[in-house]
Amino acid sequence: MPLISRIRLAAIPAALSLVLAACGGGGSSSTSDAPASPCDTSPDFPRRPIELIVPWAAGGGTDSVARFIGTQLAERLDTQVNVVNRTGGSGAVGHTAIATARPDGTTIGLATVEITMMHWQGLTDVTYEQLTPIGQVNADPAAVTVRSDAPWADLSQLLDQVRAQPGALTASGTGRGGIWDLSRAGMLLEAGLPPDAIRWVPSEGAAPALQELVAGGVDMSTASLVENQTMLDAGRVKALAVMAEERLPNLPDVPTLRELGIDFTMEAWRGIVGPEGLPEDIVGELGCHLDEIVHSPAYEEFMNTAGFGIVWRGPEEFGTYMQQQDAEKGEIMRAAGLAA
């Protein structure tokens, strides 16, 4: 530190807490003797309020996760974090707004799995490569859910019928080409079946698809078990398999596809990102704070109450994950005829 700065601080010790706050001290220091947070790696960040862009509508699951994280970040950074919903284009508008923002840390966003899908569909030219990964905070795997009175005791019996009567059964959970549609197509391809062996019925989301399922309008849902939890608890539907690396702690009796001989996983996920070119020191500070937030009891309680899965990947690991996800989605979408 320059001599002039040291003299100034020595002469005005009461101002030290303000300096720490300006360095992202989180407002937790009230005296000059209190140390700064170990996350304060960027001395000039933040200088002004932060905008946290959500590509989806207010009131939904992604919005609620963003608002919880925004509140936690605001406390740690000692600045305002304003959640802004930029909807439209099946997520393209919001993700584009994040990607095209100034890379100075004043704009970040909560990216979702759609960033690895939209460009394959021709909805946007924006890809994960135009974002700076900061940290993945969530993942929820797809599943195969059927009515509780369905004739299949397990997934093997269901797929036997699909082989015998291709195209006779239907599935739903989202719009055409959405994440749960890809789950259906990928599962079928990995099982050695044509991607249209189970016909897809587009819906406005998992909730209306589930209503169609219990009413007998479709034969199965491939949405996440989180979205089907209410009907599962009520005994109106049953889960035959989950498309996860391992069984879910809250549903230990539901086998994974891999256990059933189908080497396939699929999940929806969320993660904090910034525009391409975000400085490393800002990424480090935000990533450090996010790590603390995701591993806090408050976040665990919030996510468990909402039914969301907690997954943490730091900046580098999250970037590698998005790259892998993008390649996987492109392969499935091309094979299923869903790519532009």
Side-chain angles (χ1 to χ4, degrees), residues 64-83:
S64 66
V65 172
R67 291 181 186 278
F68 183 91
I69 289 175
T71 299
Q72 295 290 310
L73 278 176
E75 293 178 2
R76 287 165 169 80
L77 295 171
D78 196 23
T79 192
Q80 285 183 302
V81 177
N82 302 310
V83 174

Side-chain angles (χ1 to χ4, degrees), residues 49-121:
I50 294 172
E51 186 174 271
L52 174 55
I53 294 176
V54 179
W56 306 99
T62 301
D63 178 70
S64 66
V65 172
R67 291 181 186 278
F68 183 91
I69 289 175
T71 299
Q72 295 290 310
L73 278 176
E75 293 178 2
R76 287 165 169 80
L77 295 171
D78 196 23
T79 192
Q80 285 183 302
V81 177
N82 302 310
V83 174
V84 178
N85 301 90
R86 298 289 298 275
T87 62
S90 298
V93 171
H95 285 96
T96 300
I98 302 168
T100 56
R102 181 179 298 176
D104 59 3
T106 58
T107 300
I108 57 177
L110 187 60
T112 59
V113 64
E114 284 76 16
I115 189 63
T116 60
M117 300 164 54
M118 296 180 296
H119 67 101
W120 294 112
Q121 298 167 293

Side-chain angles (χ1 to χ4, degrees), residues 310-332:
I310 300 174
V311 170
W312 168 250
R313 288 184 172 95
E316 184 175 353
E317 189 181 5
F318 185 29
T320 300
Y321 175 77
M322 284 198 290
Q323 181 181 28
Q324 295 169 341
Q325 285 279 295
D326 192 270
E328 174 189 295
K329 299 299 187 298
E331 182 179 354
I332 296 173

Side-chain angles (χ1 to χ4, degrees), residues 31-45:
T31 71
S32 59
D33 296 328
S37 164
C39 292
D40 297 340
T41 58
S42 180
D44 296 324
F45 176 78

Side-chain angles (χ1 to χ4, degrees), residues 1-7:
M1 179 181 294
L3 179 59
I4 293 176
S5 297
R6 291 202 301 271
I7 293 173

